[in-house]
Amino acid sequence: MEYRRTTVRDMRRSNRSVILTGIYRDGPLSRQELSVRTSLSAASVSNLVTELIAEGVVEEAGSVESEGGRPRVLLRVAREFRYVVGAEVGETRVRVELFDLAMNVLATVDHPIETPEPEVVVKHVLEGLASVLGSSGVQASTVLGVGVAVFGIVDAEAVVHAQTLGWDAVPFGQMLAEGTDIPILVDNGANTLGQAEMWFGAGRGATDAVVALVGSGVGAALVTGGSSYRGTRSSAGEWGHTTIMYGGRGCRCGAQGCLEAYVGAEDVLDRYHQAGGELSTSDEEAAFAELLAAAETSEVAATIVADTIGYLSAGFANLVNLVNPERIVLGGWAGLLLGERYLPRLRAEVGRHALRQPYSQVSIVLCELGRDAVALGAATLPILRLLQDGGVLPPSKVPAG
């Protein structure tokens, strides 16, 4: 094994990363606050902040009064230093959004899809990228990267294994990179939602959390000690494919009794139809909302909804007992539709299934960033790289212009 000696340059970049991350995640902050938070000397903080301001990464954002001294100047990441793009690959659409570094949405485009074949998805992501850049006037050379959220397992080389959709070792990152010179970063959609909620939403302040995504499919992002837990080969978090009922309903992955086969929106609607229920629309999101509304007056709908809450609560209880999180955040479009109506009931049901001690230590809350937070989460992927690199930009392959 080769060991690489840490150099002064490495230490400087690491310290820049700590300062920049603090400013981005918790800012605006003063130099004095940064020194306390990072345990770096006041002189080191001052020197590195001066560098970051000179490079345009950080800017001053007003001042606050201090006790017995001069006002303290606040610092923030310059929102127009660079831009980022986030893309959400769903089963029925591809959404592409352009953001500044303050995560303000500058442009959005949606492409409906009938079947999420890899070539179709790549085409729509690249077309969406061109569209949001064209409509906003943002130059490709100022884009840090494109984060793409997909279903399934994403390995370190951005190869996607989505068993439920027939994606078997699809070189997705490479396929996208062949169509643009902007850096491409790919991750599972539950992980990107989790990162967004931990940074900006309901997960803030927690160090051990689970962010659950319930839509057509089901997944989860696991956070332990403040860091994402990925497992040996990045497949941790496939919570939707844990077995909730031995020998139960067939799942799209080919197994039987998976949690997704009972709480994923597609399967909830299928259970309703099999029970004789009828809906006025074939649109999945609209149909799911209609089913929840029908539970107020229809015994069949009420039974399906009650069973869904029961299965989801059992899935949450398994997380409580196994992971012992301090917070579970329920997100995804179907999760939010369900949680907005039935969160107190869901919490009570989790308490019936979970061990008392870990249940007493967990809070169960709704995603704060809305139903479309997956694309926002994807856009944090290039930002994370910028923070880890201490604001140092990678060599650009994109021509200036």
Side-chain angles (χ1 to χ4, degrees), residues 33-98:
E33 288 172 316
L34 283 169
S35 182
V36 172
R37 287 167 177 262
T38 63
S39 298
L40 295 173
S41 70
S44 294
V45 169
S46 181
N47 289 337
L48 294 174
V49 165
T50 298
E51 279 184 12
L52 291 166
I53 291 176
E55 294 166 14
V57 187
V58 169
E59 64 185 9
E60 295 183 350
S63 61
V64 293
E65 296 296 326
S66 61
E67 296 180 4
R70 293 181 299 175
R72 295 181 176 181
V73 175
L74 298 177
L75 305 164
R76 67 185 176 198
V77 172
R79 68 180 187 180
E80 295 182 352
F81 171 66
R82 287 296 186 274
Y83 301 90
V84 290
V85 173
E88 175 192 0
V89 176
E91 296 186 30
T92 58
R93 74 169 187 189
V94 172
R95 163 166 287 198
V96 181
E97 294 188 307
L98 174 70

Side-chain angles (χ1 to χ4, degrees), residues 97-336:
E97 294 188 307
L98 174 70
F99 302 85
D100 62 22
L101 293 190
M103 304 315 290
N104 297 309
V105 180
L106 305 180
T108 301
V109 63
D110 285 318
H111 288 288
I113 52 176
E114 292 185 4
T115 54
E117 298 294 334
E119 294 78 10
V120 173
V121 170
V122 167
K123 173 177 176 289
H124 285 317
V125 171
L126 294 175
E127 287 178 350
L129 172 61
S131 178
V132 295
L133 293 179
S135 64
S136 66
V138 169
Q139 299 296 314
S141 58
T142 64
V143 177
L144 278 177
V146 180
V148 185
V150 297
F151 23 65
I153 299 167
V154 183
D155 68 19
E157 287 73 40
V159 174
V160 179
H161 310 263
Q163 192 168 318
T164 58
L165 299 176
W167 289 32
D168 184 15
V170 173
F172 190 62
Q174 178 184 332
M175 293 168 69
L176 286 168
E178 289 172 354
T180 179
D181 286 327
I182 300 173
I184 299 290
L185 299 159
V186 183
D187 201 354
N188 171 271
N191 288 335
T192 67
L193 174 66
Q195 185 155 290
E197 284 294 328
M198 295 302 293
W199 282 19
F200 310 117
R204 291 194 70 174
T207 57
D208 293 273
V210 177
V211 181
L213 188 156
V214 180
S216 298
V218 176
L222 308 179
V223 177
T224 177
S227 299
S228 176
Y229 178 74
R230 302 301 183 98
T232 303
R233 292 291 185 272
S234 298
S235 68
E238 288 295 332
W239 173 59
H241 299 290
T242 55
T243 302
I244 201 73
M245 182 174 292
Y246 175 74
R249 284 173 55 87
C251 180
R252 296 183 300 172
C253 72
Q256 289 181 301
C258 292
L259 179 66
E260 182 174 302
Y262 291 90
V263 303
E266 178 180 313
D267 289 280
V268 172
L269 294 173
D270 183 58
R271 287 194 290 115
Y272 182 56
H273 288 137
Q274 288 185 4
E278 295 183 359
L279 296 166
S280 64
T281 176
S282 60
D283 178 82
E284 190 172 64
E285 294 191 29
F288 195 81
E290 185 179 332
L291 168 61
L292 296 180
E296 303 293 331
T297 55
S298 164
E299 184 176 343
V300 174
T303 299
I304 296 298
V305 170
D307 288 347
T308 301
I309 293 170
Y311 292 126
L312 182 57
S313 68
F316 275 173
N318 289 340
L319 292 172
V320 170
N321 293 344
L322 184 65
V323 184
N324 187 209
E326 61 185 291
R327 197 171 304 166
I328 295 176
V329 180
L330 174 58
W333 64 265
L336 283 175

Side-chain angles (χ1 to χ4, degrees), residues 11-31:
M11 287 297 298
R12 193 171 191 84
R13 179 170 291 198
S14 175
N15 290 341
R16 281 172 56 115
S17 174
V18 169
I19 288 173
L20 191 59
T21 300
I23 294 173
Y24 189 79
R25 297 279 302 275
D26 300 315
L29 296 174
S30 68
R31 290 169 176 80

